[in-house]
Each structure stands twice: as C-alpha cells, then as structure tokens.
Amino acid sequence: MSGSRSLSSGLRGLQPAAFGADPSGERLARIRRSPNFADGAFVNPEGTRTRPSGNSALELAKVFFNKESRVLRAPTGTVPVHPTTYADLAKPPASGLRLTWLGHSSVLAEIDGHRVLFDPVWGERCSPFGFAGPKRLHPVPLPLAALGPVDVVVISHDHYDHLDFPTIKALAGTDTVFAIPLGVGAHLEHWGVSADRLRELDWHESTKVGGITLTATPARHFCGRGLRNGQHTLWASWAVAGDEHRIYHSGDTGYFEGFKDIGAEHGPFDATMIQIGAYSEFWPDIHMTPEEGMRAHLDLQGGQPHGVLLPIHWGTFNLAPHPWAEPGEWTAAAAAAVGQAVALPIPGQPFEPAGDLPTHPWWRDVSPPLHRKWPVPEITPVASRDDLDLVGEG
C-alpha cells in the first residue's frame, strides 16, 4: 500500500503546474451539496452528447487530417490586429459601455465605471505544455500589463483556452477579484491567488464587486484539465449588471432552452458575447454553430433582435474541423437574416455598442472565399395590439 501511495505521489509530482488542483475539503463538500451535482459529477441542463451515435475517433481523425479541409482551417495571410494601447482605453466610454475583443473568448468590458475581463488568455498555446497544443493564429493585441487595472476577472470554465495558467499567474500578483464557477477556485489557489479574492459561485448565485452584480448562469458544456476528468469543477455563462447596462458572456455552451430563462431573469442585454466557433457534428451539444448562437442571443433578448451581438470563441485558435473564416461568414449571414446588430471587430479594436459598430468582414482579406448557403434562424413575428384585438373579437 505504501509503495502504491509513493508511486501515486510521484506521478502527481511530475504533472505540469498548469494541470491545476482538484477541489478538496470544504470546497469539495460544497460541490457535493450543489443541486447541479449528481452521481459524482456536475450535470448539464438537457443532457449532453459529445458526438452523434455512430461516429468514432477514427472518423474524426479522418476529418481533421483531410488535406483539402486542413488548408481552410487557418488564415492564408496575417490576421489584422488593432495595436491597442492604454490610451485607447484610458478615456471612459461616452455611453458607459465599451467592449474590446482581445481574441478567442477574451473580452475587456468597461461597464458603468467598472472594468471586467472575461476569460483572459495571453498564452501562446491553449495547452498545459509550451511545446505542443493549439497555437495562436495572431498575437495578443497588447501586453497584459498594458491593459491597466481590472476590477474583476471572470472565468467561464477550466479548459485551457479559457483558464490560462501563465495569464492567471501574472494576475495573481495584482489585487483583482476573480468571479469563477464552483470548484475552479482550487486551480487558482494552487497558482497563488489568495482565497479572499475568489468569488466562487454555483449557477444562479450572484456576487457584487463595486457597483456591478455578476451572476453565474447555466451553460451546457463540461470541464477538465488533467489526466483525470472528474467533472468536479462547474462551467457557467455570466450575466453582469451595472447601474445602467447589462451584458452577457456565454462561455462555451451548446444550445439549450435555458437561454430564454436567463434572458427573462437577467435581460434584456445591451450586448451579448456569444460563442460561435469550434463547433462540429462530433460534439453537437457542447458548442454552438453561428445559427445556434444567433438563436441563443434572440432567446436572451426575449425572442426579438435587440442590443448588439459580439461573436467570440473563433479566429484565434484552430480547435475544430470547420474552415477558419466560417464562423465570421455564418454569423454575418445569420445577423442579416434576422435584422440583428452584430459587431465584427478585429482583435483589440474597442467599440461602444451604442455607437458606430465595426462591421467590415475583415477575415475575407486573409481567407479563401466560402461558397455555401448558410442556415439561419427564423424570427417569429410579435403580434401587434390590433392583431390581438381582432383575435379577441373572433
């Protein structure tokens, strides 16, 4: 027995620090008390399939290594990046709300006098290793230190492309607060973030930081960083409310009916940041296509176009078999079909949802053209007062 324990301890010692740590003690006890935890794991709303029945790892490998599709999964030229400076962000937004997409799912939101940084990833690879794993397709728009002080860092879940070890280590030396899903605090404490700076939430729980309220809302995904994937850390989307504005960050999620409930309770939103990339028929329930992302946005807004949609989780890493530019093209088509305002900034380009939106399809300059009829959602017309009166008369 002692030899077995020594071997286990030795193997743990060889694990990269980026693997993080497993929840234990009172944190683990709290996880086990969660209404979203059953049979030893966190569970999704509406269940989850990671791939359609009948598909295999071999079939997935064939798709990934197909020569024709591989050519399309990366830009053909240099991805444009806005050379963001502190001066760009030093002047407060005139409207009280400004968003800066920094690539993938990383967004700086300046909302009613507060600065919220979602899923910051400054690392070169989304991987526990510096020599392997998906590598950036464009540089970060500015150094992390040049971003200036941040009131709260929000993490959606513990996957490498959302919870980045080198970035968290750098932020550990600041005094920023972290709003995180239940269980993720084990990783952050392991990396040097003090427990008193953690706001660790289950779904539907809220915390207040300064004058803004952050609520962890449901998502349909999964978790895991190390060799074992015990589903002991939660994943979440986030609703953030200031004195005047409301925003939403989807994290990673498959489409589910719960977006309607989130919108009814916390919306409507001035802006949503919605995952529209890294989807595949091999994992249909854990990532959304752009059509599903647009439907999610509409659900969050009560069923009708409202606010601004900022597409995230695309353009920075090659994580799925679809063409690199497809999420941008498909999102633009879906937005046009339903009359929804969408922002299409290059990485690092700040914009105010209430102002002039960046809408140039910049990816077309560094990608072959994509010829496809894009599936788009349909809007259900809202009955007018006169229509309702006629129904009543009938």
Side-chain angles (χ1 to χ4, degrees):
M1 289 292 290
S2 62
S4 176
R5 284 196 299 270
S6 297
L7 178 60
S8 176
S9 176
L11 289 173
R12 282 196 299 272
L14 294 174
Q15 292 181 357
F19 276 6
D22 293 328
S24 60
E26 175 52 35
R27 177 176 280 116
L28 183 57
R30 185 182 168 203
I31 288 169
R32 288 170 172 163
R33 293 193 300 268
S34 168
N36 305 303
F37 191 82
D39 299 325
F42 281 111
V43 294
N44 268 314
E46 302 179 16
T48 294
R49 293 172 291 124
T50 56
R51 62 177 66 90
S53 59
N55 280 319
S56 67
L58 178 59
E59 290 173 309
L60 176 59
K62 288 179 180 178
V63 172
F64 256 103
F65 292 106
N66 177 274
K67 289 184 178 180
E68 291 183 7
S69 63
R70 284 181 68 186
V71 172
L72 296 174
R73 292 208 305 271
T76 56
T78 302
V79 175
V81 173
H82 180 82
T84 318
T85 65
Y86 184 70
D88 287 327
L89 306 172
K91 185 178 180 181
S95 65
L97 177 63
R98 180 167 58 208
L99 301 179
T100 306
W101 180 52
L102 297 158
H104 202 55
S105 294
S106 304
V107 182
L108 175 68
E110 299 166 274
I111 174 171
D112 298 336
H114 297 80
R115 306 177 96 228
V116 183
L117 183 59
F118 292 95
D119 284 356
V121 174
W122 260 254
E124 188 64 18
R125 296 181 184 271
C126 47
S127 165
F129 309 106
F131 56 85
K135 190 176 182 180
R136 283 185 165 274
L137 300 173
H138 66 80
V140 289
L142 80 169
L144 184 61
L147 196 63
V150 173
D151 296 293
V152 55
V153 172
V154 177
I155 302 296
S156 64
H157 63 294
D158 72 356
H159 286 160
Y160 289 99
D161 58 323
H162 296 261
L163 181 64
D164 182 52
F165 170 62
T167 304
I168 299 300
K169 286 290 287 183
L171 290 167
T174 70
D175 59 0
T176 188
V177 170
F178 290 81
I180 52 178
L182 185 56
V184 174
H187 299 311
L188 271 61
E189 285 192 54
H190 185 63
W191 298 334
V193 180
S194 59
D196 62 343
R197 289 165 54 198
L198 303 181
R199 307 290 186 268
E200 200 163 348
L201 307 181
D202 204 344
W203 288 344
H204 307 296
E205 292 181 342
S206 299
T207 188
K208 195 147 189 174
V209 177
I212 57 172
T213 300
L214 303 103
T215 304
T217 47
R220 196 179 188 194
H221 201 55
F222 68 108
C223 65
R225 294 179 71 84
L227 297 175
R228 293 176 295 115
N229 187 0
Q231 301 300 294
H232 276 64
T233 65
L234 189 58
W235 47 95
S237 57
W238 289 88
V240 179
D243 292 335
E244 302 291 337
H245 295 91
R246 293 171 180 264
I247 57 176
Y248 172 85
H249 189 285
S250 71
D252 277 4
T253 180
Y255 178 80
F256 68 114
E257 291 293 320
F259 291 116
K260 297 173 183 176
D261 297 328
I262 295 170
E265 185 170 356
H266 301 285
F269 298 97
D270 298 281
T272 68
M273 296 154 272
I274 302 288
Q275 172 262 306
I276 51 85
Y279 45 85
S280 171
E281 63 179 6
F282 289 91
W283 48 85
D285 292 347
I286 57 172
H287 281 169
M288 294 188 290
T289 67
E291 178 199 9
E292 291 170 322
M294 184 59 67
R295 275 199 281 141
H297 172 88
L298 295 173
D299 287 351
L300 290 161
Q301 307 288 34
Q304 295 295 308
H306 180 79
V308 174
L309 186 155
L310 170 63
I312 60 171
H313 203 262
W314 78 289
T316 303
F317 299 105
N318 181 355
L319 302 176
H322 61 68
W324 172 78
E326 184 174 288
E329 284 293 344
W330 195 349
T331 300
V338 300
Q340 172 58 51
V342 62
L344 302 170
I346 63 173
Q349 182 181 4
F351 71 94
E352 297 191 31
D356 293 331
L357 299 180
T359 58
H360 173 67
W362 53 268
W363 57 86
R364 293 177 185 170
D365 297 332
V366 289
S367 172
L370 300 176
H371 302 291
R372 179 185 170 187
K373 182 174 175 59
W374 305 106
V376 296
E378 295 182 1
I379 291 286
T380 302
V382 176
S384 69
R385 182 69 259 172
D386 291 341
D387 292 336
L388 293 175
D389 289 340
L390 288 172
V391 170
E393 292 171 6

